[in-house]
Amino acid sequence: MTTPDARSGTGRPAELFFEDLVPGLTVDLGVVTVDADEMVAFARRFDPQWYHVDPDLAAASRHGGLIASGFYTVSLFMRAYVDHLLSRAAADASPGLEELRWLAPVRAGDRLAVRVDVMGARPSTARPGLGTVSLTGTMLRLGADDRPEQEVLRTRFRGWFAVRPVEADPTEAEAEATEAETAEAAPTDGDRPGADRPDSGPAAAVQPTAVPTTADPPTAGSSDGEPTESSGSAEAQRHD
């Protein structure tokens, strides 16, 4: 069974851990194409400014047409980050963004190359078992020849990633299993012969017996077994 610390950001078994995300590493997050309908629907729902949702006003403005909400663009980045990195890595939560910049307008039909660079990594002091990784994400508009034309988004943020689980030493595990089997097989006091029988040895022969010290008259009993009060003498009983 895969433990929570060994699961990726999407719940599958992880293959990348904190130790794998070393400074200098660049991860290609693929290429996304901006869908016109999705771009406008997102803006209408979350950022309905006129240059995101009104084609006529946007066309007559300095923008020359609709441009994507910056939050839609960063959402495209996040999806690529999840699909190509967090789906493989033992990712925990993120302590937050440090920078988010929209460097150029994004339009319907743009093809954006996405990548993330590892800038730093250190064990977390606040979350034992996790490491803090500093990352820079970028999105670059591609030209017709698939060469980068312009950077449209840059973000700096940190992520928590689980350290690689330590596998038990097979030799130690085998020794512990053998020790457990030996302890289970060892006889207990209840397993020894005669443990449940009275002791019939010499010690039993010298056990003291109770000796009555007085000749008190027996107490009369009632029919239900409870003692009744004695009258004290036979004469008194006759007068009753």
Side-chain angles (χ1 to χ4, degrees):
M1 179 178 178
T2 304
T3 64
D5 286 345
R7 291 192 181 279
S8 74
T10 54
R12 297 196 295 264
E15 59 185 75
L16 296 175
F17 293 86
F18 167 71
E19 294 84 353
D20 301 308
L21 301 174
V22 297
L25 176 68
T26 295
V27 182
D28 182 358
L29 304 182
V31 176
V32 297
T33 301
V34 179
D35 180 85
D37 293 337
E38 183 182 69
M39 180 185 86
V40 174
F42 180 98
R44 286 176 176 158
R45 175 69 176 85
F46 298 106
D47 188 5
Q49 299 183 76
W50 61 266
Y51 41 83
H52 298 324
V53 298
D54 191 317
D56 296 331
L57 289 179
S61 73
R62 65 181 180 85
H63 300 296
L66 291 176
I67 60 174
S69 165
F71 291 101
Y72 173 71
T73 306
V74 77
S75 296
L76 293 178
F77 169 83
M78 188 65 202
R79 181 56 192 257
Y81 179 48
V82 171
D83 285 348
H84 296 279
L85 180 58
L86 298 188
S87 62
R88 302 165 53 210
D92 203 274
S94 167
L97 288 171
E98 296 169 348
E99 179 186 26
L100 175 58
R101 298 187 65 192
W102 297 298
L103 303 172
V106 171
R107 303 176 188 276
D110 281 353
R111 297 173 62 249
L112 308 175
V114 192
R115 79 171 192 232
V116 68
D117 295 285
V118 178
M119 311 304 293
R122 58 179 175 78
S124 173
T125 56
R127 302 285 299 275
L130 299 178
T132 301
V133 180
S134 298
L135 301 150
T136 295
T138 56
M139 301 183 81
L140 300 159
R141 182 185 292 112
L142 299 179
D145 57 358
D146 286 342
R147 299 187 63 172
E149 286 186 342
Q150 188 175 21
E151 186 176 11
V152 300
L153 178 141
R154 183 188 309 134
T155 179
R156 289 190 300 111
F157 60 100
R158 290 177 293 158
W160 279 321
F161 295 85
V163 301
R164 179 172 279 103
V166 178
E167 297 183 1
D169 187 336
T171 304
E172 293 181 2
E174 184 177 351
E176 291 176 359
T178 302
E179 183 178 348
E181 291 175 0
T182 302
E184 184 177 352
T188 62
D189 290 341
D191 295 331
R192 295 192 179 93
D196 296 330
R197 294 195 297 271
D199 194 349
S200 58
V206 297
Q207 295 296 325
T209 58
V211 178
T213 58
T214 62
D216 293 336
T219 302
S222 65
S223 61
D224 59 3
E226 293 294 332
T228 58
E229 184 178 351
S230 173
S231 61
S233 67
E235 184 177 357
Q237 292 177 16
R238 285 195 301 271
H239 288 297
D240 292 339

